[in-house]
Amino acid sequence: MMASCGLALRGMGIAVQLRFFSKMGHRSGPVRAFSSILSPGSKAVVYEHHGPPDQVTRMIDLPPVELIGSDVCVKMLAAPINPSDINRIEGVYPVRPPLPAIGGSEGVGQVQSLGPSVRNLAVGDWVIPSPPYIGTWQTHVVKDEDAWHKIIKDVPMEYAATISINPTTAMRMLEDFVKLNPGDVIVQNGATSIVGQCIIQLANLNKIRSINIIRDRVGSEEVKDRLRRLGADKVFTESQLDVKEVKGLLGDLPEPVLGFNCVGGTSATTVLRLLRQGGTMVTYGGMAKKPVSVSTSQLIFKDISVRGFWLQKWMTPEKSQQFREMVDQLLRLVRNGHLKYQLDLVPFQDFGTALDRALGKQGSRPKQVIDFTSVEPAQ
């Protein structure tokens, strides 16, 4: 279980406080005048070493930060625990912040105070870090105005907190690899993930039909019904497709032109088997931690293409405006009821429980989203 606030910074001694605080990416210089604009103190989940997240993370108190220039202080409202966040803490993700680090990569917050040079944001605005990856598992974040993207307020905060990674991944994969036309068919495994749920709905909005694969589980029929309500055309468990002839299961659906794989192993093989001649499979994850195997016949006789997708390639200055426009488009879909997915909203005080759930210690659970709204600022 994660260590508690008993290891707060204020108990470290001033020299250690300043050194740790500086490493966390905050200014540690002296407060220069009573008229200075200060953020509140922040409660944060940090890690100083890579390793199992439930062992190396702890919650601490961070002191106030002076706002200068175009600094913006944002009170976080909500932030999810993503698989990539866990991988960063474990030290296995390709892009990792320097240590010590604050956990979390995306989220939504409300502007609380402004540096003297801020021009495009106002107190009360809702903002998300754009691009993500700034350490969002803390009650207050101070970053330059350019690091924040103002968004609409009339969406549930848990959706705003989770819009930047999974839904954008779904949209980009549908648009960047194959030109899809109405009536085309796609196939995916991991259909119950947020990416999978978004793929179903975005495809359905564009009259693209979907074949969806879920793992065998208790209550699979209920899961199938839920995905069908989102717009899924066909939903199968992995065992249902473990037969020599699968075309008979598809009914009047054409063979898929595009497939998505976030599992690997035999589940990826099933996606490949379903693709039509010249089809493309895009891999964006490997939950089974098993390799993707492509047979020689699939490459030679079916001319299958195997591609990979990593959202990090969209986190560049050149694509920042396009990325923000995509986020705004997705949020409008949320507001209009066209995009929905399952989430668990958990108070920040119960972060340890949410982390255990995200690590799979309590079985299959929806994505865990941390709720900061009831937290009092650190003094």
Side-chain angles (χ1 to χ4, degrees):
M1 178 67 78
M2 183 185 62
S4 71
C5 295
L7 293 171
L9 263 176
R10 64 168 67 100
M12 290 182 175
I14 188 64
V16 177
Q17 282 188 42
L18 295 183
R19 183 165 63 251
F20 190 94
F21 199 48
S22 177
K23 284 182 179 180
M24 297 303 293
H26 300 275
R27 289 178 299 280
S28 56
V31 177
R32 292 175 294 189
F34 288 109
S35 60
S36 296
I37 305 170
L38 293 178
S39 75
S42 182
K43 293 183 181 293
V45 174
V46 304
Y47 55 102
E48 298 174 68
H49 309 284
H50 291 129
D54 55 342
Q55 296 179 27
V56 301
T57 56
R58 58 194 179 103
M59 194 179 293
I60 65 171
D61 289 353
L62 297 175
V65 177
E66 181 185 7
L67 273 63
I68 60 175
S70 55
D71 285 342
V72 176
C73 174
V74 172
K75 182 185 185 303
M76 293 304 296
L77 299 174
I81 303 176
N82 287 316
S84 57
D85 299 323
I86 292 171
N87 292 157
R88 282 187 179 86
I89 297 171
E90 292 170 334
V92 299
Y93 200 74
V95 177
R96 302 184 295 274
L99 300 180
I102 297 172
S105 53
E106 66 174 333
V108 63
Q110 188 168 36
V111 174
Q112 180 159 335
S113 52
L114 306 168
S117 302
V118 175
R119 296 291 178 264
N120 298 314
L121 292 174
V123 172
D125 286 345
W126 276 24
V127 293
I128 62 173
S130 182
Y133 313 128
I134 66 168
T136 53
W137 295 351
Q138 56 181 318
T139 56
H140 294 81
V141 182
V142 175
K143 290 289 182 182
D144 188 86
E145 178 181 16
D146 289 343
W148 302 105
H149 174 49
K150 179 180 175 180
I151 63 168
I152 57 177
K153 286 185 176 182
D154 52 349
V155 294
M157 68 178 186
E158 59 268 31
Y159 279 87
T162 55
I163 203 71
S164 297
I165 294 180
N166 293 154
T168 55
T169 293
M171 178 171 279
R172 291 271 49 92
M173 292 197 302
L174 283 167
E175 295 185 4
D176 289 354
F177 293 93
V178 173
K179 180 174 173 50
L180 294 170
N181 300 304
D184 282 342
V185 178
I186 61 170
V187 58
Q188 66 166 339
N189 57 28
T192 58
S193 68
I194 290 186
V195 173
Q197 294 175 64
C198 289
I199 284 174
I200 290 170
Q201 294 167 90
L202 294 174
N204 189 52
L205 283 171
N206 291 283
K207 296 180 171 52
I208 308 299
R209 304 162 81 179
S210 64
I211 300 167
N212 302 273
I213 306 169
I214 64 174
R215 65 181 178 84
D216 291 271
R217 65 177 78 185
V218 176
S220 59
E221 291 305 315
E222 181 181 345
V223 174
K224 290 179 182 180
D225 288 340
R226 177 164 55 82
L227 294 181
R228 291 189 192 105
R229 288 195 296 270
L230 293 178
D233 292 275
K234 298 283 186 179
V235 187
F236 300 104
T237 61
E238 292 175 343
S239 63
Q240 283 182 290
L241 296 175
D242 188 20
V243 294
K244 286 187 177 181
E245 180 56 56
V246 297
K247 290 183 180 180
L249 299 174
L250 304 185
D252 61 347
L253 288 183
E255 291 177 299
V257 61
L258 179 63
F260 302 116
N261 163 52
C262 67
V263 179
T266 57
S267 185
T269 301
T270 300
V271 172
L272 287 167
R273 288 173 59 206
L274 289 167
L275 290 175
R276 78 179 189 189
Q277 180 82 21
T280 297
M281 184 177 78
V282 179
T283 291
Y284 65 99
M287 291 188 297
K289 298 182 178 179
K290 295 180 180 179
V292 174
S293 298
V294 188
S295 70
T296 302
S297 63
Q298 287 170 329
L299 292 173
I300 295 177
F301 304 120
K302 289 190 69 176
D303 192 23
I304 296 295
S305 297
V306 180
R307 304 285 303 276
F309 176 83
W310 189 25
L311 188 66
Q312 184 71 28
K313 294 181 179 179
W314 275 81
M315 306 305 170
T316 63
E318 296 78 19
K319 293 188 175 182
S320 62
Q321 185 56 38
Q322 188 177 356
F323 185 84
R324 292 181 176 192
E325 290 171 358
M326 176 171 52
V327 165
D328 291 341
Q329 180 182 353
L330 289 164
L331 285 172
R332 288 192 294 270
L333 292 176
V334 171
R335 180 181 59 193
N336 295 332
H338 297 311
L339 192 63
K340 58 188 73 174
Y341 37 84
Q342 284 195 317
L343 299 164
D344 270 351
L345 200 57
V346 183
F348 187 41
Q349 298 92 320
D350 297 330
F351 179 84
T353 299
L355 182 60
D356 284 347
R357 292 172 180 170
L359 292 171
K361 292 185 177 182
Q362 299 183 21
S364 179
R365 300 295 293 260
K367 183 178 291 293
Q368 301 296 292
V369 181
I370 307 306
D371 179 358
F372 298 94
T373 56
S374 63
V375 180
E376 294 296 326
Q379 302 299 317

